[in-house]
Amino acid sequence: MRADTTERVTDKFLRGRGRQRLSEDELTLLDQTVDRVRDLPSRHTLVRAGDRVRTSTLLLDGFMCRYMDDHSGYRQLVAIHVPGDFVDLHAFPMERLDHDVATLSPARIASWTHDTLEEIVETRPHLTRMLWFSTLLDASVHREWIFRMGRLDAEGRIAHFMCELKVRLDMVGMVENDRFLLPLKQADVAEACGLTGVHVNRVLRSLRERELMIFRAGQVTIVNWKQLSALGQFNPAYLRGGL
Amino acid sequence: MRADTTERVTDKFLRGRGRQRLSEDELTLLDQTVDRVRDLPSRHTLVRAGDRVRTSTLLLDGFMCRYMDDHSGYRQLVAIHVPGDFVDLHAFPMERLDHDVATLSPARIASWTHDTLEEIVETRPHLTRMLWFSTLLDASVHREWIFRMGRLDAEGRIAHFMCELKVRLDMVGMVENDRFLLPLKQADVAEACGLTGVHVNRVLRSLRERELMIFRAGQVTIVNWKQLSALGQFNPAYLRGGL
DNA sequence: CGCCCGCTTGAACAGTGTCAAGTGCTGTGG
DNA sequence: CCACAGCACTTGACACTGTTCAAGCGGGCG
């Protein structure tokens, strides 16, 4: 499909989030030290909670998520990832993860061994700091999710979730005319927002009927950004890392 | 009360969470480069969202929190901090924060200038990695909070919250006989758990009557750890960073 | 063609929020 | 020493949001 086999794997990394602070040299280093690039099928688990992890993964194409299971086997998504995101860079300092990492759609990923990252930390303070920064952006998003779950009702949560995805996808050039592909089931949205699938269905209908947004057939159309972002109390500052 | 004016400021840092990986040398360096140690009154705001931050703070004594406000002025706590926690180390790579940082009780803090941290990053790769690690532990806690809000009911959330505090305070020697001081109002617990103060009150009563735990007069007594941790689906692994 | 999965809808119900009133400390001033 | 104010906590009645359970729909794919 894409004719970009020569595209650098770091092409989307930190786009719109301080990428300009990465030197050409640093990007090249990352590109040249990639261990592996590969494709994963949809709904494939890449890392399981508790596993010892020896590589870290950058998402090049597709959607991934991180989640935790409760006692009854229900999932709670704790993060969703779009192209350009390091999905488990935190595994480098942590060694083990407290959650699973999986694809939501077919995905293309690049990975670096932790030995390579070790060497970067030893020799490249500025690049190290940018990698650190990128894991902290994830933490900002986590905090916003806590806010979303703690203070917003079902409509607000879904509105906020969609607003976040719109801005994040926009940063990597994946939104056109307020429209973007989102290969998620309603049940996935429910798992991300702490709701049941049934209720997500009802809220989506309401948002559609009130002409705020449409989510259908794996595609989102933002119809009324102003009202939607107000409903979700959405302020995109947290996605940019305050730079 | 405490006769430890000669105590190192880093005394509690990362205790129970990989502290043994910090060398004596590294701890000494941190101790010697402290910029300021000072006391803050209760309910004092240290950093406001959006402020440019030039120092980072380690909590020595007392309780602090980080929170975000919603449109109607209601708060959502996104983190709570106990002695030994760096409360805003993430401000070093981020420069600005997306949330406020405040004390919940009188507190004693130590701070380092970002210039000092910059120098550490330039010259001390291993220490840098440990500082990075410590910010990732915060992120683990964030994820657990997302899970708490998304998948647990009111009882589960409060049980989980109290279990987390018990383990974290235990790591820094602040629990005796399943009992610890917690200078929070019921309204604070509500803000941490995404509930109303009224409902927190009811749940606390129920937990007390069922002899799972007692929270009264700023003190928590865990009566039945097994049942309480089961109710909160609590597994402390995320607090130790998988080491 | 028929099955399966994801989406849709309805009805009854449970959990949590809201509103309002009341209790019991603790600290303060007369 | 008592009266009172203020604050956190407590309780009850009621409304509402979201869940649960159950049934039906529709389109893609073997």
Side-chain angles (χ1 to χ4, degrees):
Chain A
M1 188 104 93
R2 292 163 64 229
D4 56 1
T5 43
T6 59
E7 189 178 67
R8 309 159 63 142
V9 298
T10 54
D11 190 49
K12 297 190 167 81
F13 181 50
L14 287 181
R15 229 165 241 274
R17 295 160 288 167
R19 180 179 230 270
Q20 70 287 350
R21 296 199 297 167
L22 281 169
S23 70
E24 202 47 45
D25 199 40
E26 288 167 339
L27 289 169
T28 304
L29 176 64
L30 284 176
D31 276 304
Q32 290 176 342
T33 54
V34 166
D35 178 46
R36 254 174 109 186
V37 173
R38 59 188 166 130
D39 291 295
L40 300 175
S42 187
R43 309 281 157 176
H44 172 85
T45 300
L46 181 64
V47 182
R48 285 204 182 282
D51 284 358
R52 181 161 197 115
V53 185
R54 299 180 190 284
T55 64
S56 283
T57 299
L58 179 67
L59 179 57
L60 304 180
D61 258 315
F63 288 75
M64 296 183 73
C65 70
R66 298 191 266 149
Y67 64 90
M68 304 169 59
D69 291 306
D70 77 0
H71 279 2
S72 346
Y74 286 104
R75 289 165 144 201
Q76 174 63 48
L77 296 205
V78 294
I80 186 161
H81 290 291
V82 304
D85 288 355
F86 252 112
V87 296
D88 59 358
L89 183 52
H90 55 304
F92 166 54
M94 302 279 280
E95 298 181 7
R96 286 175 211 278
L97 298 185
D98 50 315
H99 57 264
D100 293 9
V101 180
T103 58
L104 288 165
S105 71
R108 187 170 183 77
I109 61 173
S111 55
W112 284 261
T113 68
H114 286 177
D115 288 343
T116 301
L117 297 177
E118 185 75 51
E119 214 176 303
I120 287 174
V121 169
E122 296 288 338
T123 57
R124 299 288 196 135
H126 181 261
L127 180 52
T128 300
R129 195 169 151 179
M130 289 306 286
L131 293 175
W132 183 0
F133 172 76
S134 111
T135 63
L136 293 178
L137 277 177
D138 281 349
S140 288
V141 176
H142 287 337
R143 286 191 289 275
E144 195 75 16
W145 283 38
I146 293 171
F147 170 76
R148 174 198 293 163
M149 309 281 246
R151 287 291 164 251
L152 301 183
D153 63 9
E155 283 196 343
R157 291 185 205 177
I158 292 178
H160 186 285
F161 179 70
M162 294 300 180
C163 287
E164 177 181 310
L165 279 169
K166 195 266 185 188
V167 171
R168 288 172 65 182
L169 288 168
D170 220 354
M171 293 192 292
V172 291
M174 294 174 68
V175 178
E176 267 180 61
N177 302 319
D178 290 317
R179 192 177 289 230
F180 55 92
L181 294 179
L182 186 68
L184 268 59
K185 295 182 290 189
Q186 292 184 357
D188 299 322
V189 177
E191 289 175 345
C193 294
L195 301 165
T196 58
V198 172
H199 200 59
V200 166
N201 181 286
R202 287 191 245 267
V203 171
L204 287 175
R205 170 159 51 111
S206 159
L207 293 174
R208 193 186 325 127
E209 286 170 357
R210 285 151 61 201
E211 303 190 314
L212 298 188
M213 59 155 287
I214 303 164
F215 173 42
R216 207 162 231 180
Q219 181 173 280
V220 174
T221 308
I222 307 288
V223 181
N224 187 332
W225 173 259
K226 204 169 159 205
Q227 274 188 252
L228 190 70
S229 56
L231 190 61
Q233 303 197 18
F234 181 76
N235 174 343
Y238 71 99
L239 294 171
R240 310 215 138 80
L243 296 183
Chain B
M1 186 103 97
R2 292 163 64 232
D4 55 1
T5 43
T6 58
E7 190 178 67
R8 309 159 63 142
V9 298
T10 54
D11 190 50
K12 297 191 166 80
F13 181 51
L14 287 181
R15 229 165 240 271
R17 294 160 290 166
R19 182 187 174 85
Q20 70 286 352
R21 297 199 295 166
L22 282 169
S23 70
E24 203 46 45
D25 199 40
E26 287 167 339
L27 288 170
T28 304
L29 176 64
L30 284 175
D31 275 306
Q32 289 176 343
T33 53
V34 166
D35 179 44
R36 252 174 111 186
V37 173
R38 60 189 166 128
D39 291 295
L40 300 176
S42 187
R43 309 281 157 176
H44 172 86
T45 300
L46 182 65
V47 182
R48 285 203 182 282
D51 284 357
R52 179 161 199 117
V53 185
R54 299 180 190 284
T55 64
S56 283
T57 297
L58 179 68
L59 179 56
L60 305 180
D61 257 313
F63 288 76
M64 296 184 72
C65 68
R66 298 191 267 148
Y67 64 90
M68 303 169 60
D69 291 306
D70 77 2
H71 278 3
S72 346
Y74 286 104
R75 290 163 144 202
Q76 175 62 48
L77 296 205
V78 294
I80 186 160
H81 290 292
V82 305
D85 289 355
F86 252 110
V87 297
D88 60 357
L89 183 52
H90 56 304
F92 167 55
M94 303 281 280
E95 298 181 8
R96 286 176 212 277
L97 299 184
D98 50 314
H99 56 266
D100 292 10
V101 179
T103 59
L104 288 165
S105 71
R108 187 169 184 79
I109 61 173
S111 55
W112 284 260
T113 68
H114 286 177
D115 288 343
T116 300
L117 297 177
E118 184 76 52
E119 214 175 302
I120 288 173
V121 169
E122 295 287 338
T123 58
R124 300 287 197 136
H126 181 260
L127 180 52
T128 300
R129 195 168 150 179
M130 289 306 288
L131 293 175
W132 183 358
F133 171 76
S134 109
T135 62
L136 293 178
L137 278 177
D138 280 350
S140 289
V141 176
H142 288 336
R143 286 190 290 274
E144 196 74 16
W145 284 38
I146 293 172
F147 170 77
R148 174 196 293 164
M149 309 281 247
R151 286 292 165 250
L152 302 183
D153 62 10
E155 282 196 343
R157 290 186 206 176
I158 291 178
H160 186 286
F161 180 70
M162 294 300 180
C163 288
E164 177 180 311
L165 279 170
K166 195 267 184 187
V167 172
R168 289 172 66 183
L169 288 168
D170 221 353
M171 293 192 292
V172 291
M174 293 173 69
V175 179
E176 267 179 60
N177 303 319
D178 290 316
R179 194 177 287 231
F180 55 92
L181 294 178
L182 187 68
L184 267 61
K185 294 183 289 189
Q186 292 184 357
D188 298 322
V189 177
E191 289 174 345
C193 295
L195 300 166
T196 58
V198 172
H199 201 59
V200 166
N201 181 285
R202 288 193 248 266
V203 171
L204 287 174
R205 170 157 52 111
S206 160
L207 294 174
R208 195 186 324 127
E209 286 169 357
R210 286 152 60 201
E211 302 190 315
L212 298 187
M213 58 154 287
I214 303 165
F215 173 40
R216 209 162 227 179
Q219 179 173 283
V220 175
T221 307
I222 307 289
V223 181
N224 187 332
W225 173 258
K226 205 171 158 203
Q227 274 188 251
L228 190 70
S229 56
L231 190 61
Q233 302 197 18
F234 181 76
N235 174 341
Y238 71 98
L239 294 171
R240 309 217 140 80
L243 297 184

